[in-house]
PDB file of all heavy atoms in Angstrom:
ATOM      1  N   VAL A 531     268.054-124.243 271.370  1.00 98.00           N
ATOM      2  CA  VAL A 531     268.772-125.479 271.102  1.00 98.00           C
ATOM      3  C   VAL A 531     270.201-125.148 270.637  1.00 98.00           C
ATOM      4  O   VAL A 531     270.329-124.409 269.610  1.00 98.00           O
ATOM      5  CB  VAL A 531     268.090-126.401 270.116  1.00 98.00           C
ATOM      6  CG1 VAL A 531     268.887-127.697 269.960  1.00 98.00           C
ATOM      7  CG2 VAL A 531     266.672-126.706 270.560  1.00 98.00           C
ATOM      8  N   THR A 532     271.218-125.627 271.341  1.00 98.00           N
ATOM      9  CA  THR A 532     272.608-125.393 270.907  1.00 98.00           C
ATOM     10  C   THR A 532     273.264-126.765 270.643  1.00 98.00           C
ATOM     11  O   THR A 532     272.744-127.825 270.993  1.00 98.00           O
ATOM     12  CB  THR A 532     273.405-124.675 271.969  1.00 98.00           C
ATOM     13  OG1 THR A 532     273.490-125.491 273.143  1.00 98.00           O
ATOM     14  CG2 THR A 532     272.729-123.335 272.303  1.00 98.00           C
ATOM     15  N   ASN A 533     274.428-126.721 270.004  1.00 98.00           N
ATOM     16  CA  ASN A 533     275.094-127.992 269.664  1.00 98.00           C
ATOM     17  C   ASN A 533     276.565-128.024 270.037  1.00 98.00           C
ATOM     18  O   ASN A 533     277.278-127.040 269.839  1.00 98.00           O
ATOM     19  CB  ASN A 533     275.004-128.198 268.117  1.00 98.00           C
ATOM     20  CG  ASN A 533     275.450-129.621 267.707  1.00 98.00           C
ATOM     21  OD1 ASN A 533     274.701-130.590 267.987  1.00 98.00           O
ATOM     22  ND2 ASN A 533     276.583-129.709 267.109  1.00 98.00           N
ATOM     23  N   ARG A 551     277.541-126.931 260.447  1.00 97.00           N
ATOM     24  CA  ARG A 551     277.050-125.606 261.013  1.00 97.00           C
ATOM     25  C   ARG A 551     275.870-125.085 260.224  1.00 97.00           C
ATOM     26  O   ARG A 551     274.910-124.590 260.751  1.00 97.00           O
ATOM     27  CB  ARG A 551     278.194-124.604 261.088  1.00 97.00           C
ATOM     28  CG  ARG A 551     279.329-124.922 262.023  1.00 97.00           C
ATOM     29  CD  ARG A 551     280.265-123.774 262.137  1.00 97.00           C
ATOM     30  NE  ARG A 551     281.459-124.183 262.938  1.00 97.00           N
ATOM     31  CZ  ARG A 551     282.590-124.486 262.370  1.00 97.00           C
ATOM     32  NH1 ARG A 551     282.802-124.450 261.082  1.00 97.00           N
ATOM     33  NH2 ARG A 551     283.619-124.879 263.174  1.00 97.00           N
ATOM     34  N   LEU A 554     272.733-127.164 260.773  1.00 98.00           N
ATOM     35  CA  LEU A 554     272.195-126.909 262.116  1.00 98.00           C
ATOM     36  C   LEU A 554     271.453-125.633 262.189  1.00 98.00           C
ATOM     37  O   LEU A 554     270.311-125.553 262.611  1.00 98.00           O
ATOM     38  CB  LEU A 554     273.352-126.925 263.154  1.00 98.00           C
ATOM     39  CG  LEU A 554     274.054-128.245 263.425  1.00 98.00           C
ATOM     40  CD1 LEU A 554     275.277-128.033 264.330  1.00 98.00           C
ATOM     41  CD2 LEU A 554     273.080-129.260 264.040  1.00 98.00           C
ATOM     42  N   ILE A 555     272.115-124.519 261.771  1.00 97.00           N
ATOM     43  CA  ILE A 555     271.486-123.196 261.962  1.00 97.00           C
ATOM     44  C   ILE A 555     270.238-123.091 261.063  1.00 97.00           C
ATOM     45  O   ILE A 555     269.312-122.414 261.438  1.00 97.00           O
ATOM     46  CB  ILE A 555     272.490-122.063 261.705  1.00 97.00           C
ATOM     47  CG1 ILE A 555     271.995-120.771 262.297  1.00 97.00           C
ATOM     48  CG2 ILE A 555     272.782-121.928 260.209  1.00 97.00           C
ATOM     49  CD1 ILE A 555     271.872-120.794 263.815  1.00 97.00           C
ATOM     50  N   VAL A 559     269.298-124.895 265.223  1.00 98.00           N
ATOM     51  CA  VAL A 559     270.271-125.287 266.221  1.00 98.00           C
ATOM     52  C   VAL A 559     271.500-124.400 266.147  1.00 98.00           C
ATOM     53  O   VAL A 559     272.090-124.266 265.072  1.00 98.00           O
ATOM     54  CB  VAL A 559     270.686-126.764 265.982  1.00 98.00           C
ATOM     55  CG1 VAL A 559     271.667-127.247 267.107  1.00 98.00           C
ATOM     56  CG2 VAL A 559     269.461-127.712 265.999  1.00 98.00           C
ATOM     57  N   VAL A 560     271.855-123.797 267.272  1.00 98.00           N
ATOM     58  CA  VAL A 560     272.969-122.856 267.293  1.00 98.00           C
ATOM     59  C   VAL A 560     274.236-123.526 267.685  1.00 98.00           C
ATOM     60  O   VAL A 560     274.341-124.100 268.799  1.00 98.00           O
ATOM     61  CB  VAL A 560     272.658-121.691 268.265  1.00 98.00           C
ATOM     62  CG1 VAL A 560     273.714-120.604 268.195  1.00 98.00           C
ATOM     63  CG2 VAL A 560     271.268-121.122 268.009  1.00 98.00           C
ATOM     64  N   PRO A 561     275.306-123.523 266.913  1.00 97.00           N
ATOM     65  CA  PRO A 561     276.564-124.128 267.256  1.00 97.00           C
ATOM     66  C   PRO A 561     277.127-123.480 268.522  1.00 97.00           C
ATOM     67  O   PRO A 561     277.108-122.276 268.717  1.00 97.00           O
ATOM     68  CB  PRO A 561     277.478-123.835 266.016  1.00 97.00           C
ATOM     69  CG  PRO A 561     276.547-123.703 264.892  1.00 97.00           C
ATOM     70  CD  PRO A 561     275.351-123.015 265.439  1.00 97.00           C
ATOM     71  N   TYR A 562     277.658-124.334 269.426  1.00 97.00           N
ATOM     72  CA  TYR A 562     278.098-123.903 270.773  1.00 97.00           C
ATOM     73  C   TYR A 562     279.560-124.233 270.983  1.00 97.00           C
ATOM     74  O   TYR A 562     280.368-123.322 271.260  1.00 97.00           O
ATOM     75  CB  TYR A 562     277.266-124.610 271.844  1.00 97.00           C
ATOM     76  CG  TYR A 562     277.605-124.303 273.254  1.00 97.00           C
ATOM     77  CD1 TYR A 562     278.054-123.048 273.661  1.00 97.00           C
ATOM     78  CD2 TYR A 562     277.424-125.304 274.260  1.00 97.00           C
ATOM     79  CE1 TYR A 562     278.348-122.785 274.982  1.00 97.00           C
ATOM     80  CE2 TYR A 562     277.753-125.052 275.539  1.00 97.00           C
ATOM     81  CZ  TYR A 562     278.233-123.802 275.954  1.00 97.00           C
ATOM     82  OH  TYR A 562     278.488-123.522 277.257  1.00 97.00           O
ATOM     83  N   TYR A 563     279.954-125.432 270.822  1.00 96.00           N
ATOM     84  CA  TYR A 563     281.378-125.855 270.925  1.00 96.00           C
ATOM     85  C   TYR A 563     281.732-126.830 269.802  1.00 96.00           C
ATOM     86  O   TYR A 563     280.906-127.598 269.375  1.00 96.00           O
ATOM     87  CB  TYR A 563     281.667-126.590 272.289  1.00 96.00           C
ATOM     88  CG  TYR A 563     281.888-125.690 273.481  1.00 96.00           C
ATOM     89  CD1 TYR A 563     281.111-125.843 274.629  1.00 96.00           C
ATOM     90  CD2 TYR A 563     282.915-124.736 273.474  1.00 96.00           C
ATOM     91  CE1 TYR A 563     281.345-125.010 275.723  1.00 96.00           C
ATOM     92  CE2 TYR A 563     283.105-123.932 274.567  1.00 96.00           C
ATOM     93  CZ  TYR A 563     282.336-124.100 275.705  1.00 96.00           C
ATOM     94  OH  TYR A 563     282.547-123.302 276.818  1.00 96.00           O
ATOM     95  N   THR A 630     276.606-119.664 260.454  1.00 95.00           N
ATOM     96  CA  THR A 630     277.085-118.879 261.589  1.00 95.00           C
ATOM     97  C   THR A 630     278.117-119.665 262.370  1.00 95.00           C
ATOM     98  O   THR A 630     277.937-120.856 262.673  1.00 95.00           O
ATOM     99  CB  THR A 630     275.921-118.491 262.534  1.00 95.00           C
ATOM    100  OG1 THR A 630     275.319-119.682 263.067  1.00 95.00           O
ATOM    101  CG2 THR A 630     274.920-117.637 261.889  1.00 95.00           C
ATOM    102  N   ALA A 631     279.241-119.016 262.676  1.00 94.00           N
ATOM    103  CA  ALA A 631     280.293-119.612 263.467  1.00 94.00           C
ATOM    104  C   ALA A 631     280.179-119.169 264.900  1.00 94.00           C
ATOM    105  O   ALA A 631     281.033-118.380 265.432  1.00 94.00           O
ATOM    106  CB  ALA A 631     281.661-119.265 262.904  1.00 94.00           C
ATOM    107  N   THR A 632     279.107-119.551 265.562  1.00 97.00           N
ATOM    108  CA  THR A 632     278.881-119.127 266.927  1.00 97.00           C
ATOM    109  C   THR A 632     279.527-120.078 267.967  1.00 97.00           C
ATOM    110  O   THR A 632     279.422-119.887 269.155  1.00 97.00           O
ATOM    111  CB  THR A 632     277.376-119.079 267.218  1.00 97.00           C
ATOM    112  OG1 THR A 632     276.757-120.315 266.872  1.00 97.00           O
ATOM    113  CG2 THR A 632     276.648-118.003 266.394  1.00 97.00           C
ATOM    114  N   ASP A 633     280.209-121.089 267.461  1.00 97.00           N
ATOM    115  CA  ASP A 633     280.844-122.086 268.317  1.00 97.00           C
ATOM    116  C   ASP A 633     282.288-121.685 268.620  1.00 97.00           C
ATOM    117  O   ASP A 633     282.919-121.000 267.799  1.00 97.00           O
ATOM    118  CB  ASP A 633     280.767-123.465 267.724  1.00 97.00           C
ATOM    119  CG  ASP A 633     281.335-123.559 266.312  1.00 97.00           C
ATOM    120  OD1 ASP A 633     280.912-122.704 265.470  1.00 97.00           O
ATOM    121  OD2 ASP A 633     282.226-124.383 266.100  1.00 97.00           O
ATOM    122  N   ARG A 634     282.817-122.187 269.756  1.00 96.00           N
ATOM    123  CA  ARG A 634     284.230-122.014 270.075  1.00 96.00           C
ATOM    124  C   ARG A 634     284.922-123.366 269.842  1.00 96.00           C
ATOM    125  O   ARG A 634     284.425-124.377 270.292  1.00 96.00           O
ATOM    126  CB  ARG A 634     284.379-121.561 271.485  1.00 96.00           C
ATOM    127  CG  ARG A 634     283.850-120.160 271.784  1.00 96.00           C
ATOM    128  CD  ARG A 634     284.613-119.468 272.879  1.00 96.00           C
ATOM    129  NE  ARG A 634     284.300-119.967 274.199  1.00 96.00           N
ATOM    130  CZ  ARG A 634     284.906-119.561 275.327  1.00 96.00           C
ATOM    131  NH1 ARG A 634     285.904-118.682 275.243  1.00 96.00           N
ATOM    132  NH2 ARG A 634     284.565-120.069 276.489  1.00 96.00           N
ATOM    133  N   PHE A 721     280.702-116.251 272.495  1.00 94.00           N
ATOM    134  CA  PHE A 721     279.614-115.641 271.706  1.00 94.00           C
ATOM    135  C   PHE A 721     278.623-115.042 272.715  1.00 94.00           C
ATOM    136  O   PHE A 721     278.325-115.585 273.764  1.00 94.00           O
ATOM    137  CB  PHE A 721     278.964-116.686 270.851  1.00 94.00           C
ATOM    138  CG  PHE A 721     277.916-116.139 269.914  1.00 94.00           C
ATOM    139  CD1 PHE A 721     278.261-115.300 268.869  1.00 94.00           C
ATOM    140  CD2 PHE A 721     276.569-116.472 270.082  1.00 94.00           C
ATOM    141  CE1 PHE A 721     277.279-114.777 267.997  1.00 94.00           C
ATOM    142  CE2 PHE A 721     275.586-115.980 269.233  1.00 94.00           C
ATOM    143  CZ  PHE A 721     275.962-115.126 268.195  1.00 94.00           C
ATOM    144  N   TYR A 724     275.973-116.825 274.917  1.00 95.00           N
ATOM    145  CA  TYR A 724     276.398-117.665 276.025  1.00 95.00           C
ATOM    146  C   TYR A 724     276.920-116.883 277.205  1.00 95.00           C
ATOM    147  O   TYR A 724     277.535-117.451 278.146  1.00 95.00           O
ATOM    148  CB  TYR A 724     277.449-118.677 275.506  1.00 95.00           C
ATOM    149  CG  TYR A 724     276.975-119.429 274.270  1.00 95.00           C
ATOM    150  CD1 TYR A 724     277.684-119.330 273.066  1.00 95.00           C
ATOM    151  CD2 TYR A 724     275.818-120.130 274.317  1.00 95.00           C
ATOM    152  CE1 TYR A 724     277.242-120.031 271.961  1.00 95.00           C
ATOM    153  CE2 TYR A 724     275.327-120.837 273.187  1.00 95.00           C
ATOM    154  CZ  TYR A 724     276.033-120.759 272.004  1.00 95.00           C
ATOM    155  OH  TYR A 724     275.582-121.407 270.911  1.00 95.00           O
TER     156      TYR A 724
END
Side-chain angles (χ1 to χ4, degrees):
V531 181
T532 65
N533 191 71
R551 293 188 189 100
L554 291 174
I555 199 63
V559 182
V560 187
Y562 178 37
Y563 278 124
T630 59
T632 54
D633 54 307
R634 294 209 286 176
F721 186 67
Y724 307 121

